[in-house]
Amino acid sequence: DGGITQSPKYLFRKEGQNVTLSCEQNLNHDAMYWYRQDPGQGLRLIYYSQIVNDFQKGDIAEGYSVSREKKESFPLTVTSAQKNPTAFYLCASSIQREIAYEQYFGPGTRLTVT
Amino acid sequence: GENVEQHPSTLSVQEGDSAVIKCTYSDSASNYFPWYKQELGKRPQLIIDIRSNVGEKKDQRIAVTLNKTAKHFSLHITETQPEDSAVYFCAASIRGVYSGGGADGLTFGKGTHLIIQP
């Protein structure tokens, strides 16, 4: 299960606090992604990054922020502006070519905000 | 943006029978269609994918078909086994069309809970 890791597995926070989720990969992939999964729902794209120091908003970026200072790392911050932050967060990575390739997912972080 | 619809939401089949899951997409520019399997509490894992220049692809008991004209694609699992029980997601990507060849994210369907009855 190596390659792409996320920590922690479970995270609990009080409402109003910012929290940062970690995502690291050693696959030498250029592209990285953050998705959110809610019960009974598919995955929804939050942010993605094609290259270091560059990232793009996905479908549900409001209330989230990211950085991409290193190729291996793509941390996600869930801010207090995110109205419903409790969810399962999945990070993914893929190689960067002219055509699409498989996205490899990390094990996920389950965030609970009360 | 892209919209992916997936049916059915739950599918129960007898062990040994075939299972078919169907997806439709809205953007004719979509060119990559992966299928992921997710077991409870685990990460999604790719089981098969197809590109828009191919109509069908098979890998042992799993096959995917793509109809670009109708904008739908389907997953076929034959000779189902208990370990096939999981949630299956279809997805679509418009990779490279709007971002100069860059890596775009995937748009997922809401998933199908496949139950294999012994």
Side-chain angles (χ1 to χ4, degrees), chain A residues 21-22 29 32 36 42 44 56-57 60 63 65 75 82-83 85 87 93 95 107-108:
Chain A
L21 282 58
S22 167
H29 286 171
M32 297 187 74
R36 169 186 172 136
R44 291 182 291 166
Q56 307 293 330
K57 291 182 179 180
I60 56 165
S65 66
Q82 168 48 234
K83 290 183 172 51
S93 70
I95 62 174

Tab-separated table of all heavy atoms in Angstrom, chain A residues 21-22 29 32 36 42 44 56-57 60 63 65 75 82-83 85 87 93 95 107-108:
chain	number	residue	atom	x	y	z
A	21	LEU	N	-4.805	18.604	6.115
A	21	LEU	CA	-4.674	17.183	5.831
A	21	LEU	C	-3.436	16.972	4.968
A	21	LEU	O	-3.214	17.701	3.993
A	21	LEU	CB	-5.907	16.671	5.078
A	21	LEU	CG	-7.187	16.397	5.877
A	21	LEU	CD1	-7.666	17.635	6.622
A	21	LEU	CD2	-8.262	15.865	4.954
A	22	SER	N	-2.677	15.947	5.323
A	22	SER	CA	-1.419	15.686	4.634
A	22	SER	C	-1.600	14.684	3.500
A	22	SER	O	-2.375	13.729	3.608
A	22	SER	CB	-0.410	15.142	5.651
A	22	SER	OG	0.718	14.602	5.013
A	29	HIS	N	5.046	11.357	-9.449
A	29	HIS	CA	3.951	11.863	-10.266
A	29	HIS	C	3.931	13.383	-10.228
A	29	HIS	O	4.122	14.001	-9.186
A	29	HIS	CB	2.613	11.334	-9.737
A	29	HIS	CG	2.386	9.894	-10.061
A	29	HIS	ND1	1.323	9.177	-9.511
A	29	HIS	CD2	3.049	9.040	-10.866
A	29	HIS	CE1	1.362	7.941	-9.981
A	29	HIS	NE2	2.400	7.826	-10.794
A	32	MET	N	-1.387	15.956	-8.877
A	32	MET	CA	-2.005	15.513	-7.624
A	32	MET	C	-3.386	16.133	-7.499
A	32	MET	O	-3.648	17.215	-8.054
A	32	MET	CB	-1.122	15.880	-6.429
A	32	MET	CG	0.238	15.172	-6.461
A	32	MET	SD	1.235	15.424	-4.992
A	32	MET	CE	0.382	14.372	-3.789
A	36	ARG	N	-13.389	14.880	-2.245
A	36	ARG	CA	-14.192	14.710	-1.037
A	36	ARG	C	-15.252	13.650	-1.332
A	36	ARG	O	-15.845	13.648	-2.421
A	36	ARG	CB	-14.853	16.042	-0.698
A	36	ARG	CG	-15.921	15.969	0.360
A	36	ARG	CD	-16.624	17.294	0.547
A	36	ARG	NE	-17.753	17.099	1.444
A	36	ARG	CZ	-18.061	17.910	2.437
A	36	ARG	NH1	-17.325	18.994	2.647
A	36	ARG	NH2	-19.094	17.664	3.209
A	42	GLY	N	-20.619	9.959	-4.862
A	42	GLY	CA	-19.365	9.764	-5.561
A	42	GLY	C	-18.331	10.738	-5.044
A	42	GLY	O	-18.583	11.522	-4.128
A	44	ARG	N	-15.992	14.016	-5.292
A	44	ARG	CA	-16.084	15.334	-5.907
A	44	ARG	C	-14.738	16.037	-5.805
A	44	ARG	O	-14.119	16.055	-4.738
A	44	ARG	CB	-17.186	16.159	-5.244
A	44	ARG	CG	-18.596	15.638	-5.530
A	44	ARG	CD	-19.657	16.521	-4.897
A	44	ARG	NE	-19.650	16.430	-3.442
A	44	ARG	CZ	-20.286	17.285	-2.641
A	44	ARG	NH1	-20.948	18.303	-3.157
A	44	ARG	NH2	-20.248	17.112	-1.337
A	56	GLN	N	-5.219	24.303	-9.461
A	56	GLN	CA	-6.469	24.773	-10.038
A	56	GLN	C	-7.639	24.367	-9.156
A	56	GLN	O	-7.623	23.296	-8.537
A	56	GLN	CB	-6.684	24.155	-11.433
A	56	GLN	CG	-5.524	24.330	-12.386
A	56	GLN	CD	-5.297	25.776	-12.776
A	56	GLN	OE1	-6.244	26.561	-12.816
A	56	GLN	NE2	-4.063	26.130	-13.053
A	57	LYS	N	-8.678	25.192	-9.118
A	57	LYS	CA	-9.883	24.851	-8.378
A	57	LYS	C	-10.656	23.757	-9.107
A	57	LYS	O	-10.743	23.756	-10.334
A	57	LYS	CB	-10.783	26.080	-8.226
A	57	LYS	CG	-10.224	27.148	-7.307
A	57	LYS	CD	-11.204	28.305	-7.175
A	57	LYS	CE	-10.643	29.365	-6.218
A	57	LYS	NZ	-11.578	30.509	-6.074
A	60	ILE	N	-15.684	21.970	-6.135
A	60	ILE	CA	-16.162	22.379	-4.803
A	60	ILE	C	-15.038	22.988	-3.980
A	60	ILE	O	-14.810	22.612	-2.847
A	60	ILE	CB	-16.815	21.195	-4.058
A	60	ILE	CG1	-15.851	19.995	-3.953
A	60	ILE	CG2	-18.111	20.763	-4.729
A	60	ILE	CD1	-16.295	18.961	-2.932
A	63	GLY	N	-14.019	27.203	0.618
A	63	GLY	CA	-13.764	26.779	1.986
A	63	GLY	C	-12.527	25.915	2.145
A	63	GLY	O	-12.227	25.466	3.250
A	65	SER	N	-8.218	25.333	0.890
A	65	SER	CA	-7.030	25.900	0.266
A	65	SER	C	-5.964	24.821	0.175
A	65	SER	O	-5.984	23.838	0.940
A	65	SER	CB	-6.507	27.101	1.049
A	65	SER	OG	-6.046	26.711	2.323
A	75	PRO	N	-0.685	19.341	0.499
A	75	PRO	CA	-1.563	19.431	1.666
A	75	PRO	C	-2.833	20.222	1.394
A	75	PRO	O	-2.821	21.188	0.623
A	75	PRO	CB	-0.682	20.135	2.709
A	75	PRO	CG	0.310	20.900	1.902
A	75	PRO	CD	0.559	20.108	0.665
A	82	GLN	N	-15.657	26.512	5.365
A	82	GLN	CA	-16.288	25.344	4.753
A	82	GLN	C	-17.497	24.967	5.625
A	82	GLN	O	-17.348	24.571	6.782
A	82	GLN	CB	-15.293	24.191	4.651
A	82	GLN	CG	-15.886	22.824	4.286
A	82	GLN	CD	-16.833	22.820	3.097
A	82	GLN	OE1	-17.975	22.358	3.169
A	82	GLN	NE2	-16.369	23.360	1.993
A	83	LYS	N	-18.684	25.028	5.043
A	83	LYS	CA	-19.916	24.884	5.831
A	83	LYS	C	-20.155	23.457	6.327
A	83	LYS	O	-20.723	23.249	7.400
A	83	LYS	CB	-21.103	25.353	5.003
A	83	LYS	CG	-21.135	26.862	4.775
A	83	LYS	CD	-22.364	27.301	4.013
A	83	LYS	CE	-22.507	28.808	3.947
A	83	LYS	NZ	-21.305	29.491	3.490
A	85	PRO	N	-17.772	20.460	6.673
A	85	PRO	CA	-16.453	19.858	6.472
A	85	PRO	C	-16.359	18.369	6.797
A	85	PRO	O	-15.421	17.713	6.353
A	85	PRO	CB	-15.563	20.665	7.426
A	85	PRO	CG	-16.489	21.110	8.501
A	85	PRO	CD	-17.814	21.370	7.821
A	87	ALA	N	-16.374	14.761	6.346
A	87	ALA	CA	-16.378	13.947	5.132
A	87	ALA	C	-15.134	13.072	5.125
A	87	ALA	O	-14.262	13.176	5.986
A	87	ALA	CB	-16.391	14.820	3.875
A	93	SER	N	-2.868	10.838	-7.176
A	93	SER	CA	-1.812	11.357	-8.036
A	93	SER	C	-1.806	10.578	-9.343
A	93	SER	O	-2.326	9.450	-9.417
A	93	SER	CB	-0.453	11.264	-7.347
A	93	SER	OG	-0.029	9.918	-7.224
A	95	ILE	N	0.553	10.292	-13.410
A	95	ILE	CA	1.611	10.817	-14.251
A	95	ILE	C	1.003	11.858	-15.183
A	95	ILE	O	-0.209	11.895	-15.394
A	95	ILE	CB	2.330	9.709	-15.040
A	95	ILE	CG1	1.376	8.998	-15.996
A	95	ILE	CG2	2.954	8.705	-14.086
A	95	ILE	CD1	2.061	7.997	-16.886
A	107	PRO	N	-5.028	6.329	1.157
A	107	PRO	CA	-5.986	5.609	1.998
A	107	PRO	C	-7.096	6.488	2.561
A	107	PRO	O	-8.077	5.969	3.082
A	107	PRO	CB	-5.125	5.034	3.110
A	107	PRO	CG	-3.961	5.966	3.187
A	107	PRO	CD	-3.711	6.442	1.786
A	108	GLY	N	-6.960	7.802	2.469
A	108	GLY	CA	-8.011	8.701	2.919
A	108	GLY	C	-7.868	9.168	4.357
A	108	GLY	O	-7.214	8.520	5.185
